[in-house]
Amino acid sequence: MTFDSQISARVASNRKELVRELTGVVARTVLLIVVVVFLLSWLPDDPNVRAFGVITGLLIVTAMYIFFFLRQLQAVRKSQFPNIRAAEAMLSTGILLLAIFANIYVGISLADPAAFTEVLTPFSAMYFALTVLATVGFGDIAPNTVQARGVAMAQMVLNLVFIGVVVRVFASAAKRSLSNKKDAQKNAG
């Protein structure tokens, strides 16, 4: 086997591994979105039972957030394509952060229907959480009470922390992983 054919074989192998990695990223992200939508829509319709459902959902999504954060950090460190896994990790933890706040907003809206400019459904709460994260603030849904405004402010602060800290953690993990791989290749070759 010539040197050129060895390089071609290595490139083809890396391409297959890259496609497999990207396929996994898409599949895991879609699965996460389906699970989050299911959990948010799972809330009971009975107002007396619904508060319990909101609290239960909040605990489940928070546990998922912590689990996913740690799992994704480990996956970034071990991945052959750490930058791709870091991007997936940021997206996944962002989705879960939105789900946590959407759950809180639904709970507030159920406890006090006047807390927002409209009674929030799980979908509209996720929409509102995303507009707060994106700092778009369309104005169609707005908090009216001190409690609702306080949670929206807390989300704004945590969004800044998310953007500053979480993104840096995953980016640093990817950078370290790439550096370790380069060092291992130097030592091996």
Side-chain angles (χ1 to χ4, degrees), residues 94-95 97-99 101-102 105 116-118 120 122-143 148 151-153 155-157 159-160 163:
I95 290 168
L97 181 67
L98 291 174
F101 277 99
Y105 294 138
F116 294 91
T117 51
E118 63 183 62
L120 299 182
F123 180 81
S124 62
M126 189 68 144
Y127 164 80
F128 176 69
L130 182 58
T131 62
V132 171
L133 173 68
T135 67
V136 173
F138 290 122
D140 53 344
I141 300 174
V151 173
M153 287 172 33
Q155 183 190 353
M156 290 173 202
V157 170
N159 291 342
L160 294 173
I163 291 167

Side-chain angles (χ1 to χ4, degrees), residues 6-138:
Q6 287 175 343
I7 290 176
S8 294
R10 184 179 286 166
V11 168
S13 174
N14 281 345
R15 196 172 291 142
K16 287 179 185 176
E17 291 172 14
L18 177 62
V19 168
R20 193 177 8 220
E21 182 75 16
L22 290 172
T23 302
V25 166
V26 170
R28 287 186 297 269
T29 302
V30 168
L31 179 63
L32 175 63
I33 291 169
V34 168
V35 168
V36 166
V37 167
F38 172 76
L39 287 175
L40 287 174
S41 65
W42 181 61
L43 300 173
D45 290 334
D46 182 349
N48 295 325
V49 179
R50 198 159 191 171
F52 176 75
V54 169
I55 293 168
T56 303
L58 180 61
L59 293 174
I60 290 170
V61 173
T62 302
M64 283 176 61
Y65 185 85
I66 293 167
F67 171 78
F68 263 77
F69 182 86
L70 295 174
R71 183 179 168 278
Q72 292 288 16
L73 189 57
Q74 184 179 25
V76 169
R77 289 180 181 148
K78 292 181 177 182
S79 177
Q80 183 175 354
F81 303 100
N83 289 333
I84 294 171
R85 288 305 292 254
E88 176 190 5
M90 288 181 252
L91 179 62
S92 296
T93 55
I95 290 168
L96 289 173
L97 181 67
L98 291 174
I100 289 169
F101 277 99
N103 203 322
I104 293 169
Y105 294 138
V106 168
I108 292 171
S109 183
L110 289 171
D112 182 4
F116 294 91
T117 51
E118 63 183 62
V119 176
L120 299 182
T121 65
F123 180 81
S124 62
M126 189 68 144
Y127 164 80
F128 176 69
L130 182 58
T131 62
V132 171
L133 173 68
T135 67
V136 173
F138 290 122

